[in-house]
Amino acid sequence: MARSKRARGDGKRRTAARPRSRGRRIARIAGIVLLVPVVLILIVLAALHSGPGQRFVRDKVQSRLAERVNGTVTIGAIDFALFGGLALRKVAIRDEAGADVITLEGLEVEPDWSSLTGDSPTVDRLALVGLRLHLAQDADGKL
């Protein structure tokens, strides 16, 4: 059933809207398809740079390190920026008995971001701040 054209109060008739061209519709859909992933990536990056996001990353790093150590690993804080450096604060690695083995006030890493696309990533700068090693010798003379 066709819609009738109604007269406006000013005496002009409304004209029916022209359907959009196929090219415009395709361009609009392509724009949406490209824009949605970009917006989602920006949302994830913003979330990771928030306090809860950085705590989430800290917990993940802490648990991954703990898997590789005979003991426990604690990280007080983690700071990072997109294409910037990474800093771990108040790092402690304890042995199975709970004694400190390594403590750090801070570990700062600045990667060479362009090298990450190649086979051998490099680090521009690595700084250990307040490093303390606690070594003990067993009865056999081993560390």
mmCIF file of all heavy atoms in Angstrom, residues 71-97:
data_model
loop_
_atom_site.group_PDB
_atom_site.id
_atom_site.type_symbol
_atom_site.label_atom_id
_atom_site.label_comp_id
_atom_site.label_asym_id
_atom_site.label_seq_id
_atom_site.Cartn_x
_atom_site.Cartn_y
_atom_site.Cartn_z
ATOM 1 N N GLY A 71 59.385 -20.912 44.300
ATOM 2 C CA GLY A 71 59.068 -20.009 45.395
ATOM 3 C C GLY A 71 57.934 -19.093 44.987
ATOM 4 O O GLY A 71 57.064 -19.464 44.202
ATOM 5 N N THR A 72 57.969 -17.863 45.486
ATOM 6 C CA THR A 72 56.904 -16.900 45.184
ATOM 7 C C THR A 72 57.491 -15.620 44.605
ATOM 8 O O THR A 72 58.643 -15.267 44.873
ATOM 9 C CB THR A 72 56.100 -16.540 46.447
ATOM 10 O OG1 THR A 72 56.991 -15.967 47.405
ATOM 11 C CG2 THR A 72 55.427 -17.757 47.039
ATOM 12 N N VAL A 73 56.678 -14.941 43.837
ATOM 13 C CA VAL A 73 57.044 -13.656 43.243
ATOM 14 C C VAL A 73 55.953 -12.661 43.600
ATOM 15 O O VAL A 73 54.766 -12.956 43.470
ATOM 16 C CB VAL A 73 57.160 -13.755 41.708
ATOM 17 C CG1 VAL A 73 57.450 -12.402 41.088
ATOM 18 C CG2 VAL A 73 58.201 -14.775 41.302
ATOM 19 N N THR A 74 56.358 -11.492 44.065
ATOM 20 C CA THR A 74 55.392 -10.417 44.300
ATOM 21 C C THR A 74 55.883 -9.160 43.591
ATOM 22 O O THR A 74 57.082 -8.871 43.572
ATOM 23 C CB THR A 74 55.199 -10.106 45.800
ATOM 24 O OG1 THR A 74 56.449 -9.788 46.373
ATOM 25 C CG2 THR A 74 54.578 -11.270 46.524
ATOM 26 N N ILE A 75 54.939 -8.459 42.999
ATOM 27 C CA ILE A 75 55.214 -7.197 42.310
ATOM 28 C C ILE A 75 54.285 -6.164 42.923
ATOM 29 O O ILE A 75 53.062 -6.336 42.912
ATOM 30 C CB ILE A 75 54.971 -7.315 40.796
ATOM 31 C CG1 ILE A 75 55.877 -8.391 40.186
ATOM 32 C CG2 ILE A 75 55.185 -5.972 40.108
ATOM 33 C CD1 ILE A 75 55.561 -8.727 38.751
ATOM 34 N N GLY A 76 54.871 -5.101 43.463
ATOM 35 C CA GLY A 76 54.069 -4.061 44.097
ATOM 36 C C GLY A 76 53.229 -3.286 43.102
ATOM 37 O O GLY A 76 52.048 -3.043 43.322
ATOM 38 N N ALA A 77 53.828 -2.887 41.992
ATOM 39 C CA ALA A 77 53.110 -2.098 40.992
ATOM 40 C C ALA A 77 53.776 -2.286 39.640
ATOM 41 O O ALA A 77 54.947 -2.652 39.551
ATOM 42 C CB ALA A 77 53.106 -0.622 41.369
ATOM 43 N N ILE A 78 53.016 -2.026 38.599
ATOM 44 C CA ILE A 78 53.538 -2.064 37.241
ATOM 45 C C ILE A 78 53.063 -0.800 36.532
ATOM 46 O O ILE A 78 51.908 -0.387 36.689
ATOM 47 C CB ILE A 78 53.083 -3.342 36.502
ATOM 48 C CG1 ILE A 78 53.761 -3.480 35.146
ATOM 49 C CG2 ILE A 78 51.587 -3.392 36.350
ATOM 50 C CD1 ILE A 78 53.569 -4.829 34.495
ATOM 51 N N ASP A 79 53.965 -0.154 35.840
ATOM 52 C CA ASP A 79 53.638 1.054 35.072
ATOM 53 C C ASP A 79 54.093 0.831 33.639
ATOM 54 O O ASP A 79 55.208 0.374 33.409
ATOM 55 C CB ASP A 79 54.373 2.280 35.633
ATOM 56 C CG ASP A 79 53.983 2.575 37.063
ATOM 57 O OD1 ASP A 79 52.781 2.574 37.355
ATOM 58 O OD2 ASP A 79 54.899 2.816 37.875
ATOM 59 N N PHE A 80 53.238 1.167 32.697
ATOM 60 C CA PHE A 80 53.613 1.036 31.293
ATOM 61 C C PHE A 80 52.825 2.033 30.468
ATOM 62 O O PHE A 80 51.793 2.538 30.910
ATOM 63 C CB PHE A 80 53.388 -0.391 30.780
ATOM 64 C CG PHE A 80 51.979 -0.892 30.949
ATOM 65 C CD1 PHE A 80 51.010 -0.652 29.998
ATOM 66 C CD2 PHE A 80 51.632 -1.609 32.079
ATOM 67 C CE1 PHE A 80 49.722 -1.111 30.162
ATOM 68 C CE2 PHE A 80 50.346 -2.079 32.257
ATOM 69 C CZ PHE A 80 49.391 -1.830 31.293
ATOM 70 N N ALA A 81 53.360 2.306 29.294
ATOM 71 C CA ALA A 81 52.692 3.209 28.359
ATOM 72 C C ALA A 81 52.835 2.625 26.966
ATOM 73 O O ALA A 81 53.828 1.957 26.652
ATOM 74 C CB ALA A 81 53.322 4.598 28.405
ATOM 75 N N LEU A 82 51.842 2.863 26.139
ATOM 76 C CA LEU A 82 51.872 2.388 24.767
ATOM 77 C C LEU A 82 53.088 2.965 24.057
ATOM 78 O O LEU A 82 53.289 4.172 24.046
ATOM 79 C CB LEU A 82 50.582 2.801 24.051
ATOM 80 C CG LEU A 82 50.406 2.271 22.641
ATOM 81 C CD1 LEU A 82 50.356 0.749 22.648
ATOM 82 C CD2 LEU A 82 49.135 2.834 22.031
ATOM 83 N N PHE A 83 53.910 2.121 23.500
ATOM 84 C CA PHE A 83 55.164 2.475 22.824
ATOM 85 C C PHE A 83 56.109 3.239 23.736
ATOM 86 O O PHE A 83 56.935 4.003 23.299
ATOM 87 C CB PHE A 83 54.909 3.260 21.532
ATOM 88 C CG PHE A 83 54.090 2.493 20.551
ATOM 89 C CD1 PHE A 83 52.830 2.921 20.183
ATOM 90 C CD2 PHE A 83 54.578 1.327 19.993
ATOM 91 C CE1 PHE A 83 52.067 2.206 19.280
ATOM 92 C CE2 PHE A 83 53.820 0.605 19.102
ATOM 93 C CZ PHE A 83 52.562 1.037 18.735
ATOM 94 N N GLY A 84 55.992 2.999 25.027
ATOM 95 C CA GLY A 84 56.884 3.612 26.008
ATOM 96 C C GLY A 84 57.584 2.519 26.787
ATOM 97 O O GLY A 84 57.720 1.381 26.331
ATOM 98 N N GLY A 85 58.020 2.855 27.970
ATOM 99 C CA GLY A 85 58.738 1.910 28.801
ATOM 100 C C GLY A 85 57.816 1.107 29.697
ATOM 101 O O GLY A 85 56.615 1.346 29.781
ATOM 102 N N LEU A 86 58.429 0.154 30.371
ATOM 103 C CA LEU A 86 57.742 -0.704 31.325
ATOM 104 C C LEU A 86 58.523 -0.639 32.623
ATOM 105 O O LEU A 86 59.753 -0.702 32.610
ATOM 106 C CB LEU A 86 57.711 -2.142 30.809
ATOM 107 C CG LEU A 86 57.312 -3.231 31.787
ATOM 108 C CD1 LEU A 86 55.819 -3.156 32.062
ATOM 109 C CD2 LEU A 86 57.660 -4.591 31.238
ATOM 110 N N ALA A 87 57.826 -0.491 33.735
ATOM 111 C CA ALA A 87 58.497 -0.424 35.031
ATOM 112 C C ALA A 87 57.767 -1.315 36.027
ATOM 113 O O ALA A 87 56.545 -1.250 36.151
ATOM 114 C CB ALA A 87 58.533 1.008 35.542
ATOM 115 N N LEU A 88 58.541 -2.162 36.699
ATOM 116 C CA LEU A 88 58.026 -2.962 37.803
ATOM 117 C C LEU A 88 58.557 -2.356 39.083
ATOM 118 O O LEU A 88 59.745 -2.053 39.187
ATOM 119 C CB LEU A 88 58.492 -4.415 37.682
ATOM 120 C CG LEU A 88 58.127 -5.163 36.408
ATOM 121 C CD1 LEU A 88 58.729 -6.554 36.421
ATOM 122 C CD2 LEU A 88 56.636 -5.230 36.221
ATOM 123 N N ARG A 89 57.714 -2.189 40.067
ATOM 124 C CA ARG A 89 58.108 -1.578 41.340
ATOM 125 C C ARG A 89 57.937 -2.581 42.469
ATOM 126 O O ARG A 89 56.992 -3.367 42.479
ATOM 127 C CB ARG A 89 57.250 -0.351 41.644
ATOM 128 C CG ARG A 89 57.231 0.682 40.542
ATOM 129 C CD ARG A 89 58.433 1.580 40.616
ATOM 130 N NE ARG A 89 58.369 2.557 39.545
ATOM 131 C CZ ARG A 89 59.343 2.767 38.693
ATOM 132 N NH1 ARG A 89 60.461 2.109 38.787
ATOM 133 N NH2 ARG A 89 59.217 3.657 37.735
ATOM 134 N N LYS A 90 58.858 -2.531 43.426
ATOM 135 C CA LYS A 90 58.808 -3.366 44.630
ATOM 136 C C LYS A 90 58.636 -4.850 44.280
ATOM 137 O O LYS A 90 57.637 -5.481 44.621
ATOM 138 C CB LYS A 90 57.703 -2.904 45.563
ATOM 139 C CG LYS A 90 57.846 -1.442 45.950
ATOM 140 C CD LYS A 90 57.553 -1.242 47.399
ATOM 141 C CE LYS A 90 57.623 0.216 47.746
ATOM 142 N NZ LYS A 90 58.905 0.686 48.102
ATOM 143 N N VAL A 91 59.647 -5.385 43.609
ATOM 144 C CA VAL A 91 59.647 -6.786 43.188
ATOM 145 C C VAL A 91 60.385 -7.615 44.235
ATOM 146 O O VAL A 91 61.460 -7.230 44.695
ATOM 147 C CB VAL A 91 60.342 -6.951 41.818
ATOM 148 C CG1 VAL A 91 60.374 -8.404 41.389
ATOM 149 C CG2 VAL A 91 59.654 -6.091 40.769
ATOM 150 N N ALA A 92 59.808 -8.740 44.607
ATOM 151 C CA ALA A 92 60.445 -9.650 45.561
ATOM 152 C C ALA A 92 60.271 -11.082 45.080
ATOM 153 O O ALA A 92 59.165 -11.492 44.719
ATOM 154 C CB ALA A 92 59.846 -9.492 46.952
ATOM 155 N N ILE A 93 61.376 -11.805 45.059
ATOM 156 C CA ILE A 93 61.341 -13.229 44.748
ATOM 157 C C ILE A 93 61.823 -13.952 45.994
ATOM 158 O O ILE A 93 62.919 -13.695 46.499
ATOM 159 C CB ILE A 93 62.234 -13.565 43.534
ATOM 160 C CG1 ILE A 93 61.733 -12.804 42.308
ATOM 161 C CG2 ILE A 93 62.246 -15.067 43.283
ATOM 162 C CD1 ILE A 93 62.592 -12.969 41.073
ATOM 163 N N ARG A 94 60.982 -14.847 46.490
ATOM 164 C CA ARG A 94 61.286 -15.595 47.720
ATOM 165 C C ARG A 94 61.412 -17.076 47.390
ATOM 166 O O ARG A 94 60.730 -17.574 46.502
ATOM 167 C CB ARG A 94 60.193 -15.369 48.753
ATOM 168 C CG ARG A 94 60.145 -13.934 49.239
ATOM 169 C CD ARG A 94 59.009 -13.690 50.224
ATOM 170 N NE ARG A 94 58.995 -12.308 50.644
ATOM 171 C CZ ARG A 94 58.378 -11.327 49.985
ATOM 172 N NH1 ARG A 94 57.726 -11.593 48.886
ATOM 173 N NH2 ARG A 94 58.425 -10.089 50.436
ATOM 174 N N ASP A 95 62.273 -17.776 48.156
ATOM 175 C CA ASP A 95 62.429 -19.208 47.937
ATOM 176 C C ASP A 95 61.266 -19.961 48.573
ATOM 177 O O ASP A 95 60.338 -19.358 49.134
ATOM 178 C CB ASP A 95 63.787 -19.704 48.448
ATOM 179 C CG ASP A 95 63.960 -19.523 49.949
ATOM 180 O OD1 ASP A 95 62.969 -19.243 50.651
ATOM 181 O OD2 ASP A 95 65.099 -19.666 50.424
ATOM 182 N N GLU A 96 61.333 -21.288 48.488
ATOM 183 C CA GLU A 96 60.234 -22.107 49.005
ATOM 184 C C GLU A 96 60.037 -21.947 50.506
ATOM 185 O O GLU A 96 58.930 -22.131 51.012
ATOM 186 C CB GLU A 96 60.494 -23.582 48.666
ATOM 187 C CG GLU A 96 60.443 -23.842 47.171
ATOM 188 C CD GLU A 96 60.990 -25.208 46.794
ATOM 189 O OE1 GLU A 96 61.938 -25.685 47.450
ATOM 190 O OE2 GLU A 96 60.453 -25.775 45.840
ATOM 191 N N ALA A 97 61.106 -21.589 51.218
ATOM 192 C CA ALA A 97 61.010 -21.387 52.668
ATOM 193 C C ALA A 97 60.480 -19.997 53.021
ATOM 194 O O ALA A 97 60.220 -19.705 54.186
ATOM 195 C CB ALA A 97 62.384 -21.589 53.312
#
